[in-house]
């Protein structure tokens, strides 16, 4: 799609957004509809045509996932039954413009569709930050609307943006984390977090709140500031292709379990590091598309339940994602 010039200046790291004070909070019983959410993205980026409004830049890949015995114990979902599960993967960059550079201070992403031998599918989209930029769908929408370009200047109104920040400090937490963290050196050398909490039902019948992350087998490696300044605009895809040509790129899927009192509904708050963890599976990336496009393009990586083994928590942003991703997909595939 032709991206309006103003969109070049707008990076939509999934959620690195600000929120309008009190625009929705308390004033509405109903959360914004899926259409209203997508229209708020369009108010900033222009009509959605062909590209995702968030993480517009990406590269398709493929591989497989195998649960550990601990994963089989902790979730009765088919994905965790220990058989090898095929995956369609998309690595992304948190920009609104598919031609944006790989060196922006935004999140990178790892999106996965699991396809079990028995025909079940499970989708997820993960980011290279442990927290999201909006505590609620209302804040996400209000933040987007506040960043609408002023028709007179083509730029967001700085006073409106400043007012968001002042009144909604939680919406600045992800941006602060990103500002304090060097960029990943490779799509293969950063952890990715699912951010939202889910309920996992184990073989013992217990249901536990957990968040997942994907930890790189190669370890975490980041660019220095100097390296960031000199990297080519599209270095991530080339680097990944070279890496996978040598050997599969692997990640451990790790669950972190909530303790009583941990907030399971607010994705801007990370749980303390001392919460119990379990390695529940290993993802291997074995192929990378040689160029743009591929099997990941028509997928929206909707956050799905895999009942009864993995089901939604009461996090309202999780609930909002499903419908919004579907509406966005339908607009970009028109
Ligand atoms: C209120 C909450 C959220 C809303 C309304 C929202 C909305 C969207 C939309 C509309 C898309 C484009 C979908 C498409 O066209 O295929 C998208 C993509 C994406 N979002 Fe979100 N999002 C939310 C929360 C999150 C969170 C918490 C994360 C962190 C894990 C996240 C990570 C991503 C990623 C990685 C993509 C790109 C997926 C891909 O590779 O196709 N989003 N989001």
């Amino acid at each position: 799609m032709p991206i309006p010039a103003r969109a070049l200046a707008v990076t939509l790291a999934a959620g690195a957004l600000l929120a309008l004070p009190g625009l929705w909070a308390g004033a509405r019983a109903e959360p914004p509809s899926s259409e209203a959410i997508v229209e708020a993205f369009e108010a900033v980026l222009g009509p959605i045509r062909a590209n995702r409004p968030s993480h517009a830049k990406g590269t398709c890949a493929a591989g497989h996932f195998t649960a550990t015995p601990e994963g089989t114990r902790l979730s009765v979902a088919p994905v965790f039954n220990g058989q090898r599960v095929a995956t369609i993967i998309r690595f992304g960059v948190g920009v609104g413009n598919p031609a944006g550079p790989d060196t922006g201070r935004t999140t990178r992403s790892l999106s996965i569709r699991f396809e079990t031998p028995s025909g079940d599918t499970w989708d997820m989209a993960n980011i290279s930050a442990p927290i999201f930029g909006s505590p609620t769908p209302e804040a996400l929408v209000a933040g987007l609307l506040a960043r609408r370009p002023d028709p007179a200047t083509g730029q967001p109104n700085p006073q409106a943006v400043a007012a968001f920040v002042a009144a909604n400090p939680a919406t600045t937490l992800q941006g602060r984390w990103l500002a304090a963290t060097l960029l990943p050196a490779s799509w293969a050398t950063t952890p990715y977090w699912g951010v939202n909490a889910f309920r996992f039902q184990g073989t013992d019948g217990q249901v536990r709140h957990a968040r997942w992350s994907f930890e790189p087998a190669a370890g975490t490696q980041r660019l220095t500031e100097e390296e960031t300044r000199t990297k080519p605009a599209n270095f991530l895809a080339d680097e990944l292709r070279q890496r996978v040509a040598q050997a599969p790129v692997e990640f451990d899927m790790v669950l972190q379990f909530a303790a009583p009192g941990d907030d399971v509904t607010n994705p801007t708050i990370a749980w303390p590091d001392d919460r119990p963890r379990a390695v529940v599976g290993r993802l291997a990336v074995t192929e990378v598309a040689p160029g743009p496009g591929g099997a990941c393009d028509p997928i929206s990586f909707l956050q799905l339940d895999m009942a009864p083994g993995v089901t939604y928590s009461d996090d309202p942003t999780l609930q909002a994602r499903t419908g919004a991703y579907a509406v966005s997909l339908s607009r970009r595939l028109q």
Side-chain angles (χ1 to χ4, degrees):
M1 83 175 174
I3 300 287
R6 64 175 188 260
L8 296 175
V10 177
T11 52
L12 293 173
L17 298 167
L18 310 169
L20 256 180
L23 181 63
W24 303 89
R28 299 170 56 111
E30 289 297 313
S33 68
S34 304
E35 285 75 15
I37 291 172
V38 170
E39 275 150 26
F41 277 103
E42 291 187 318
V44 179
L45 291 170
I48 294 172
R49 298 280 182 274
N51 297 302
R52 292 154 171 83
S54 179
H55 292 260
K57 186 174 188 181
T59 296
C60 295
H64 51 82
F65 174 84
T66 311
T68 59
E70 191 64 346
T72 306
R73 187 179 76 77
L74 288 163
S75 173
V76 296
V79 163
F80 292 102
N81 72 7
Q83 283 185 292
R84 180 182 278 209
V85 173
T87 59
I88 299 174
I89 297 168
R90 181 175 186 268
F91 287 94
V93 182
V95 288
N97 173 2
D102 287 352
T103 47
R105 211 75 173 194
T106 63
T107 53
R108 309 294 171 261
S109 51
L110 168 67
S111 303
I112 309 166
R113 165 163 292 182
F114 301 83
E115 296 179 327
T116 71
S118 53
D120 296 288
T121 58
W122 188 39
D123 289 355
M124 58 167 67
N126 309 295
I127 53 172
S128 61
I131 52 175
F132 190 50
S134 296
T136 60
E138 289 85 345
L140 179 84
V141 168
L144 283 165
L145 293 179
R147 297 198 140 211
R148 254 182 310 205
D150 181 331
T153 63
Q155 297 297 323
N157 175 333
Q159 279 113 4
V161 173
F164 291 166
V165 174
N168 295 275
T171 62
T172 67
L173 296 174
Q174 189 199 54
R176 280 196 226 171
W177 188 92
L178 289 168
T181 308
L182 293 170
L183 290 179
S186 161
W187 270 324
T189 64
T190 175
Y192 297 91
W193 286 266
V195 178
N196 297 123
F198 283 77
R199 293 185 175 97
F200 279 72
Q201 183 180 327
T203 46
D204 58 0
Q206 270 202 48
V207 177
R208 304 167 176 90
H209 273 107
R211 286 169 166 169
W212 61 71
S213 60
F214 285 81
E215 307 290 336
T220 300
Q221 287 157 29
R222 300 190 178 277
L223 298 175
T224 62
E225 297 289 4
E226 172 60 21
E227 286 167 338
T228 301
R229 277 191 292 276
T230 54
K231 279 285 172 192
N234 302 308
F235 79 95
L236 284 170
D238 294 338
E239 197 275 346
L240 188 70
R241 284 185 198 110
Q242 284 163 18
R243 223 178 242 272
V244 172
Q246 303 298 316
V249 161
E250 299 191 325
F251 296 87
D252 278 333
M253 184 177 179
V254 177
L255 292 187
Q256 182 196 26
F257 295 96
D262 286 344
D263 192 338
V264 297
T265 64
N266 185 342
T268 65
I269 300 174
W271 299 335
D273 282 343
D274 65 0
R275 298 295 181 257
R277 287 168 195 266
V279 177
V280 292
R282 183 159 269 223
L283 175 72
V285 183
T286 55
E287 287 170 55
V288 184
C296 73
D297 260 10
I299 299 180
S300 199
F301 300 100
L302 290 174
Q303 304 291 298
L304 293 178
D305 272 349
M306 220 194 187
V310 188
T311 51
Y312 281 13
S313 66
D314 294 335
D315 178 342
T317 65
L318 182 53
Q319 315 274 339
R321 288 177 83 175
T322 310
Y325 285 41
V327 170
S328 176
L329 178 69
S330 72
R331 292 192 185 186
R332 67 184 171 79
L333 293 187
Q334 267 170 15

